[in-house]
Amino acid sequence: MTNQAGGVEGLPREKVEQFDRELAPILKRYPPDRKASAMIPALRLGQALFGHVSPAVQALAADRLGTSPSRAEEVATFYVMLETHPTGKHLVELCTNVSCSLSGGDQLWAYLKRKLALAQAGSTTDGRYTLREVECLGSCGTAPAMLVDEEMYEQLTPQKVDAILGGLK
Amino acid sequence: MSDTLILSARWGKPDSAALSTYRADGGYAALDKALGMEPSLIVDEVKKSNLRGRGGAGFATGLKWTFLPKDVRPRYLTVNADESEPGTFKDRYIIEHDPHMLIEGIALTCYALDIHLAYVYIRGEFARQARILEKAVEEARAAGIIGSKLLGKKDFDLEIHVHRGAGAYICGEESALLESLEGKKGYPRLKPPFPAVVGLWGKPTIINNVETIANVPWIVQHGGDAFMALGTGKSGGTRLFGVSGHVNRPGVYEKPCHYNLKKLIMEDAGGILGGRKLKAVIPGGSSSPVLAAHEIDISLEFDAVKAAGSMSGSGGVIVFDESACMVRALARLTRFYAEESCGQCTPCREGTNWMEGICHKLEHGHGTAADVAKLEQVANSIAGNTICALGDAAAMPVQSFVKKFKAEFLQHAELHRCPSGDHGWGLTQAPRDAVAGPVRYAR
Ligand SMILES: Cc1cc2nc3c(=O)[nH]c(=O)nc-3n(C[C@H](O)[C@H](O)[C@H](O)COP(=O)(O)O)c2cc1C
Ligand code: SF4
Ligand code: FES
């Protein structure tokens, strides 16, 4: 890897070491000649450690998995849970698909926008929250549902939403 | 009709996900029994059982297993826990409440098919379910149930791994799932060849849904005939039906696979909210054609729902009462498919966007009668012209909604607004107490 901007060298060394340590057990799940299969877990790990999947993180994952950065980029941009740009400190993702909206999801979407003073999906100016609508979360019986920092919350009401967001650090 | 429960029998027992609970309840006895059987006899029992895939297509499981070429090794098993079809929420409860039943099903399937490596592909949004399953696999490994010997006695090595996705509906489609598992974006592959012949890393691969595989221990334990007898026609066993939307008691209900749809909604799920009238039902996940209220007195068996013009699909039943706007609902669904189309083929990529645009226009009062006709035309031009079934999945709701609720679509065009008011999602919009089999989830 060359020492260019956006290259692996730009990433903090201790965190890269941590990445390598935590990647090792993940790699054991795939045959040794099929390391590239670990691309999603590797990018998720990168996201957890570095905040988002920047080109440097993509390059790091590609390097460790013995594949090309373009492969990492293809994956990083395809999946909605991989963030290629920085997000707010907390990610709030509300399902507004049919079963949720039949139980108040659409109204909660309006409520959340009001609460976070956002006109549409996006990040609050203080960088504390990123709000977005997502597709069915597999919680249609216990609708409406949302993910906050990738953990699921169900049977939501405005009061519950207040309590959940209020409890965040 | 029998009340036999296969999938949800242990749900709600204290610590139901723990290995000790599963064992105390006779768990892994089927695997023990199988280890004394010729592997091919297990396949025979599954064939006899009339088990059909619970992931959406309802394909005969035993038959699928016989598509593996005889002499190619290694072979792989991938279990589909992507569960992303709107209205579908059943596999998660198997994993949450009884993960060892799934693990035993995987072990049995692998033993029957001479497979030594299995992956469970679980959607990225199921963080908690992934943790539960990983813990259960770890427990099974530590107890010597899987690993170098099955149940610590049979020389048959088996590894099971949990692979988490990262948010993409298309990765539930089996060939996209394989691409994703290979570390790529989820682009469906052209078929044939089918995964059973050329699958993961180019090797023969069986892909089955979580619920499908979770039935295998019961079939081995009680015999294929007993499973068949729980169902009817070409469909054996029970199924997990998820009921959501405008019902009094939403949730997952385990019923014989030919249970009556109307009874499921009106009795089990407690009937329609606020005593209002039923308007429409999507019987098998968002991709299945919608049924009007008068069409729901039918058996949920795969072929019966097909005969009624829809699909039993993933068993996800979405209920709309008379206060809901069908244009609004379809607008949301078309947005979903436009969002989730992988973009690989033109009819699907362009068509889903087009349908979304037209529905949006109609819902917001800017559409015309010509738009309604256009909508049908676009849907018809997608169906059958794409690499994977997402194209059809996007077309079917449009075709059926417009056909069955045409007056409502035209009314939007004439009035230049939604007749149901500004939101169209119905009169009662609040969470309700829900159930998953015997488990209650108070709101
Ligand atoms: C767009 C699309 C999405 C799908 N999503 C899922 C899914 O989330 N879970 C699933 O089990 N099957 C899903 N399927 C069906 C799978 O392709 C495949 O048929 C199924 O996993 C096979 O297992 P079964 O025979 O046990 O049902 C989907 C199919 C399509 C076309
Ligand atoms: S039908 Fe749609 S989702 Fe399927 S391969 Fe074509 S573009 Fe992708
Ligand atoms: S529609 Fe929201 S979780 Fe399924």
Side-chain angles (χ1 to χ4, degrees):
Chain A
M1 193 52 47
T2 51
N3 198 359
Q4 67 200 17
V8 176
E9 274 71 19
L11 298 170
R13 183 123 143 251
E14 344 55 272
K15 283 205 175 166
V16 172
E17 281 165 7
Q18 191 182 351
F19 178 88
D20 287 332
R21 268 198 313 278
E22 293 185 22
L23 185 63
I26 294 173
L27 288 178
K28 293 216 179 81
R29 300 181 207 147
Y30 309 92
D33 57 337
R34 302 293 183 188
K35 276 197 296 194
S37 274
M39 185 57 81
I40 290 179
L43 292 176
R44 287 184 76 126
L45 174 61
Q47 180 161 298
L49 292 176
F50 301 100
H52 70 283
V53 187
S54 64
V57 175
Q58 294 167 25
L60 174 66
D63 178 70
R64 300 305 193 261
L65 302 184
T67 184
S68 67
S70 67
R71 171 73 77 81
E73 188 194 7
E74 155 193 323
V75 172
T77 51
F78 187 81
Y79 297 92
V80 298
M81 295 181 77
L82 296 175
E83 312 291 343
T84 49
H85 297 282
T87 57
K89 183 161 181 233
H90 299 292
L91 192 52
V92 181
E93 300 176 297
L94 181 75
C95 173
T96 56
N97 209 307
V98 172
S99 299
C100 279
S101 285
L102 290 174
S103 303
D106 198 40
Q107 289 179 337
L108 273 184
W109 175 243
Y111 178 77
L112 269 165
K113 282 190 293 187
R114 260 200 323 277
K115 182 177 168 71
L116 301 180
L118 290 167
Q120 58 201 25
S123 299
T124 53
T125 42
D126 61 2
R128 189 164 160 77
Y129 300 103
T130 295
L131 175 68
R132 63 170 74 122
E133 272 177 277
V134 289
E135 298 300 350
C136 177
L137 292 170
S139 301
C140 327
T142 45
M146 70 174 175
L147 296 177
V148 177
D149 299 332
E150 299 194 0
E151 292 297 329
M152 188 100 72
Y153 298 88
E154 301 165 66
Q155 295 173 310
L156 297 171
T157 56
Q159 296 73 25
K160 247 181 165 171
V161 166
D162 286 347
I164 293 160
L165 297 195
L168 294 174
K169 274 191 271 176
Chain B
M1 239 177 240
S2 93
D3 294 325
T4 306
L5 295 179
I6 296 175
L7 299 152
S8 60
R10 263 176 301 274
W11 298 3
K13 290 195 177 179
D15 231 354
S16 69
L19 176 58
S20 52
T21 311
Y22 190 61
R23 281 211 134 134
D25 203 43
Y28 290 108
L31 183 57
D32 195 43
K33 178 179 175 186
L35 296 182
M37 287 165 73
E38 250 329 290
S40 67
L41 292 180
I42 300 167
V43 180
D44 290 344
E45 288 303 320
V46 172
K47 275 197 214 156
K48 254 194 274 176
S49 74
N50 280 348
L51 172 62
R52 291 172 71 169
R54 307 306 199 221
F59 194 84
T61 305
L63 182 62
K64 183 190 272 188
W65 290 4
T66 63
F67 293 160
L68 286 169
K70 298 259 166 312
D71 43 5
V72 187
R73 297 291 188 284
R75 303 161 155 186
Y76 301 110
L77 173 69
T78 57
V79 178
N80 194 339
D82 198 54
E83 187 141 272
S84 309
E85 167 93 357
T88 312
F89 51 101
K90 59 186 184 70
D91 298 335
R92 59 171 287 184
Y93 292 117
I94 295 178
I95 293 170
E96 285 173 38
H97 296 301
D98 205 352
H100 281 284
M101 183 172 54
L102 176 61
I103 295 171
E104 186 173 15
I106 294 172
L108 285 164
T109 305
C110 289
Y111 177 68
L113 301 175
D114 193 25
I115 291 171
H116 298 269
L117 182 56
Y119 290 95
V120 180
Y121 186 102
I122 187 166
R123 64 178 300 184
E125 292 87 345
F126 282 175
R128 190 159 62 88
Q129 290 80 359
R131 286 194 296 267
I132 292 169
L133 188 57
E134 268 164 0
K135 182 170 166 220
V137 170
E138 204 46 64
E139 257 186 317
R141 200 178 283 135
I145 293 166
I146 59 170
S148 58
K149 284 181 191 286
L150 284 181
L151 281 180
K153 53 177 167 189
K154 184 88 172 184
D155 273 318
F156 185 104
D157 64 292
L158 173 63
E159 260 319 320
I160 303 174
H161 296 292
V162 179
H163 181 98
R164 292 183 65 193
Y169 166 64
I170 193 57
C171 291
E173 194 279 336
E174 55 187 15
S175 63
L177 183 152
L178 294 176
E179 288 287 303
S180 181
L181 187 47
E182 290 181 2
K184 300 178 227 163
K185 62 186 168 191
Y187 267 13
R189 298 174 181 170
L190 269 172
K191 291 181 259 184
F194 289 95
V197 181
V198 180
L200 183 63
W201 304 315
K203 296 295 179 189
T205 302
I206 290 297
I207 302 175
N208 276 125
N209 171 261
V210 166
E211 184 186 342
T212 309
I213 294 295
N215 279 301
V216 177
W218 197 95
I219 293 171
V220 170
Q221 190 71 296
H222 301 268
D225 286 331
F227 191 86
M228 179 191 72
L230 293 174
T232 188
K234 286 190 216 139
S235 305
T238 60
R239 284 184 71 187
L240 297 176
F241 295 105
V243 188
S244 64
H246 288 151
V247 289
N248 284 311
R249 204 164 40 244
V252 170
Y253 298 88
E254 180 173 359
K255 297 288 172 191
C257 65
H258 55 296
Y259 201 69
N260 183 278
L261 174 58
K262 187 171 184 178
K263 190 164 181 226
L264 179 69
I265 295 169
M266 294 304 182
E267 294 176 24
D268 298 285
I272 309 304
L273 278 183
R276 280 188 292 277
K277 270 184 15 208
L278 175 71
K279 183 172 195 176
V281 175
I282 295 178
S286 66
S287 308
S288 61
V290 67
L291 298 171
H294 67 276
E295 296 175 305
I296 69 159
D297 194 1
I298 55 170
S299 153
L300 278 160
E301 191 271 327
F302 291 101
D303 299 323
V305 182
K306 195 167 172 207
S310 187
M311 284 161 47
S312 189
S314 60
V317 176
I318 309 175
V319 178
F320 301 87
D321 76 27
E322 56 187 336
S323 63
C325 169
M326 299 315 278
V327 179
R328 180 58 182 243
L330 185 64
R332 186 63 186 85
L333 286 180
T334 53
R335 191 173 127 203
F336 167 74
Y337 290 103
E339 192 66 39
E340 300 297 333
S341 164
C342 82
Q344 211 181 170
C345 18
T346 314
C348 172
R349 181 187 62 240
E350 301 301 319
T352 51
N353 275 316
W354 218 350
M355 295 191 301
E356 181 197 3
I358 299 174
C359 284
H360 184 85
K361 234 169 104 178
L362 283 166
E363 168 64 8
H364 290 89
H366 309 301
T368 62
D371 285 321
V372 180
K374 186 89 198 164
L375 195 54
E376 280 184 296
Q377 239 177 47
V378 177
N380 293 342
S381 68
I382 302 175
N385 292 318
T386 56
I387 292 177
C388 89
L390 186 138
D392 297 317
M396 285 185 291
V398 174
Q399 291 164 324
S400 58
F401 270 69
V402 177
K403 181 167 158 220
K404 292 181 183 172
F405 299 96
K406 193 161 230 160
E408 205 171 317
F409 281 79
L410 292 173
Q411 206 184 0
H412 278 71
E414 277 156 28
L415 297 174
H416 292 295
R417 63 175 170 80
C418 175
S420 309
D422 60 358
H423 53 73
W425 289 112
L427 288 177
T428 309
Q429 295 183 63
R432 291 171 283 287
D433 292 352
V435 298
V439 186
R440 271 180 57 101
Y441 293 87
R443 86 201 107 153

